[in-house]
């Protein structure tokens, strides 16, 4: 079974790259393909010194810093990757990777982090945030996204099996492509985060400061609760906005290294998260630290956090992305905090471990290949029988 791994693009070591890392551990002899590869030297260790085969976008002007601007060319680029030498192609896709071309004697398993968000249900939000919701540039962007949607839907027919990274994404796959998807939760390095059942009197928010993470709502909520301390870790385009919202009870630490993040995560009273995520790794990391989670009750967090009222709860949900809803959830948490055990948080997080991911992914791929191979043998046997019957 010769395996190829197709990833979107390699520019940082983040959530989807950690999935590729674990697939590589399952299949260390696999070859790697991507639209482009601009990983820094210090971030390349997870590739095990493997060469990455890229597309023509790698060589386009300014691609190193602005490769995402070439999104309209990426469908064409991904189709130029030659997969003909492989039995099994595994794509790690949140944009165009699933569009790689395979033949009838190959299996294509697409692990989908999400269908292209900015082309489907998040289109209007992305256009607003990019300032492309009106004017000539806006109409050009809308037309290009329309063409990408047509291509994205069409290429779903070339996928043998879909895997969603959560039930939430499984529903999105069914809505967009009309296909059923199995679910394998992504790997979380639960061993990296250190358990502690001793908590201090502060709440923690830690993520990139980009609009959809809604850190502004968390900071606005704690600005209304001056008696409660909030520590915020992260940096990004929203930092200046967040600084203007912060009050004296809120500490903005900016970017912190892993050691600092792990330390704050295990000491926090609770971790606050306001984004609608496809899966959401950081709430699982918090639980691995024995820290309860206060989170927006939509998307993947509904599958990774057990709410009050359930057996062995690990957190509290709020169901509106507003500062007032977060305030109410914090008060609810403080009222019922004794019902949430740090040990239960840790136990629940371990279900999403890297070891579990590798076992489920390997089982799925090998069973798919076995069933497909048996089908080919049966077809060949039937053809042979027909030949002998015809000769008789």
């Amino acid at each position: 079974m010769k395996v190829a791994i197709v990833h979107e693009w390699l520019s940082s070591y983040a959530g989807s790259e950690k999935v590729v890392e674990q697939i590589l551990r399952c299949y260390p002899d696999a070859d790697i393909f991507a639209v482009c590869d601009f990983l820094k030297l210090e971030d390349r260790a997870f590739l095990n010194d493997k060469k990455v085969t890229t597309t023509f976008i790698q060589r386009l002007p300014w691609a190193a810093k602005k490769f995402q601007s070439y999104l309209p060319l990426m469908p064409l680029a991904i189709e130029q990757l030659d997969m003909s030498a492989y039995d099994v192609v595994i794509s790690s896709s949140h944009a165009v990777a699933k569009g790689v071309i395979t033949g009838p004697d190959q299996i294509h398993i697409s692990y989908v982090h999400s269908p292209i968000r900015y082309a489907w249900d998040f289109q209007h939000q992305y256009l607003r945030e990019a300032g492309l919701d009106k004017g000539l540039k806006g109409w050009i962007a809308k037309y290009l996204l329309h063409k990408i949607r047509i291509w994205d839907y069409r290429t779903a027919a070339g996928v043998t099996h879909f895997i969603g990274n959560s039930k939430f994404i499984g529903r999105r796959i069914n809505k967009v492509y009309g296909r059923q998807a199995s679910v394998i939760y992504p790997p979380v390095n639960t061993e990296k985060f250190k358990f502690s059942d001793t908590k201090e009197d502060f709440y923690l928010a830690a993520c990139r400061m980009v609009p959809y993470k809604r850190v502004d709502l968390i900071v606005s909520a704690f600005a209304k609760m001056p008696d409660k301390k909030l520590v915020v870790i992260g940096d990004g385009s929203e930092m200046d906005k967040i600084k203007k919202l912060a009050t004296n009870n809120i500490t903005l630490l900016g970017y912190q290294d892993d050691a600092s993040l792990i330390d704050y995560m295990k000491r926090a009273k609770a971790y606050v998260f306001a984004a609608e995520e496809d899966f959401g790794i950081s709430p699982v990391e918090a639980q691995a630290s024995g820290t309860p989670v206060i989170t927006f009750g939509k998307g993947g967090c509904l599958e990774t956090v057990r709410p009050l009222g359930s057996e062995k709860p690990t957190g509290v949900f709020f169901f509106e992305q507003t500062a007032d809803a977060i305030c109410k959830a914090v008060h609810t948490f403080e009222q019922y905090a004794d019902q949430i055990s740090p040990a239960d948080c840790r136990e629940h997080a371990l279900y999403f471990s890297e070891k579990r991911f590798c076992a489920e992914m390997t089982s799925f791929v090998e069973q798919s290949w076995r069933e497909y191979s048996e089908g080919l043998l049966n077809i060949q046997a039937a053809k042979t029988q027909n030949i002998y019957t015809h000769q008789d």
Side-chain angles (χ1 to χ4, degrees), residues 338-351:
D338 59 342
Q339 297 183 18
I340 302 177
S341 159
D344 289 341
C345 292
R346 173 72 178 180
E347 179 186 15
H348 181 54
L350 293 179
Y351 173 75

Side-chain angles (χ1 to χ4, degrees), residues 205 213-223 230 272-274 326:
K213 293 289 187 180
R214 303 316 310 265
V215 181
D216 59 325
L217 294 181
I218 299 172
V219 171
S220 295
F222 278 84
L230 174 70
V272 188
F273 192 71
I326 295 173

Side-chain angles (χ1 to χ4, degrees), residues 206-255:
C207 60
R208 287 178 295 120
M209 290 192 183
V210 292
Y212 88 93
K213 293 289 187 180
R214 303 316 310 265
V215 181
D216 59 325
L217 294 181
I218 299 172
V219 171
S220 295
F222 278 84
K224 295 182 176 184
M225 300 183 288
D227 58 323
K228 305 187 193 308
K229 297 177 183 177
L230 174 70
V231 173
V232 182
I233 292 176
D235 202 350
S237 60
E238 295 270 283
M239 178 56 99
D240 289 341
K241 176 181 178 181
I242 301 302
K243 285 180 178 178
K244 293 176 182 178
L245 296 171
T247 49
N248 291 335
N249 60 316
I250 299 168
T251 303
L252 304 179
L253 295 179
Y255 170 80

Side-chain angles (χ1 to χ4, degrees), residues 299-358:
C301 286
L302 288 173
E303 301 168 49
T304 60
V305 178
R306 290 196 298 234
L308 287 169
S310 61
E311 185 179 357
K312 296 183 177 181
T314 64
V316 174
F317 289 134
F318 55 92
F319 296 96
E320 295 179 357
Q321 282 181 311
T322 64
D324 287 341
I326 295 173
C327 290
K328 185 176 179 181
V330 170
H331 290 306
T332 299
F333 168 75
E334 294 198 341
Q335 184 178 357
Y336 298 101
D338 59 342
Q339 297 183 18
I340 302 177
S341 159
D344 289 341
C345 292
R346 173 72 178 180
E347 179 186 15
H348 181 54
L350 293 179
Y351 173 75
F352 303 96
S353 69
E354 293 174 343
K355 183 177 179 181
R356 183 271 322 160
F357 174 83
C358 285

Side-chain angles (χ1 to χ4, degrees), residues 5-165:
I5 299 171
V6 183
H7 191 51
E8 226 80 63
W9 48 72
L10 292 164
S11 61
S12 64
Y13 178 58
S16 61
E17 286 74 30
K18 291 174 183 178
V19 170
V20 170
E21 178 181 25
Q22 296 305 315
I23 296 174
L24 263 176
R25 288 186 180 179
C26 298
Y27 300 100
D29 295 328
D31 293 329
I32 305 176
F33 298 79
V35 168
C36 54
D37 174 13
F38 295 113
L39 274 174
K40 296 177 182 177
L41 186 61
E42 59 267 27
D43 293 333
R44 302 190 69 82
F46 77 98
L47 295 175
N48 299 327
D49 295 323
K50 283 184 171 288
K51 179 185 175 183
V52 179
T53 301
T54 59
T55 71
F56 64 84
I57 288 180
Q58 182 81 22
R59 301 178 295 278
L60 293 179
W62 308 292
K65 292 186 177 180
K66 296 190 175 183
F67 63 88
Q68 288 177 309
S69 300
Y70 291 114
L71 177 66
L73 295 177
M74 288 186 184
L76 174 64
I78 204 74
E79 291 176 346
Q80 307 314 308
L81 293 174
D82 185 2
M83 298 288 108
S84 60
Y86 301 94
D87 301 309
V88 176
V89 176
I90 304 173
S91 60
S92 165
S93 185
H94 58 78
V96 299
K98 84 168 205 332
V100 69
I101 295 174
T102 55
D105 294 331
Q106 297 171 289
I107 289 181
H108 179 186
I109 297 171
S110 188
Y111 188 92
V112 178
H113 308 280
S114 175
I116 311 176
R117 298 179 189 89
Y118 31 86
W120 293 99
D121 49 328
F122 279 26
Q123 173 189 256
H124 301 293
Q125 177 183 333
Y126 274 90
L127 288 173
R128 281 195 303 272
E129 291 173 358
L132 294 172
D133 53 337
K134 53 190 173 183
L136 179 60
K137 287 184 178 180
W139 280 109
I140 293 172
K142 291 170 188 175
Y143 175 75
L144 291 173
L145 289 174
H146 168 71
K147 299 297 286 185
I148 286 174
R149 276 193 296 276
I150 294 172
W151 175 87
D152 190 39
Y153 178 80
R154 177 182 61 76
T155 57
V159 176
T160 314
H161 300 292
F162 278 103
I163 300 174
N165 73 355

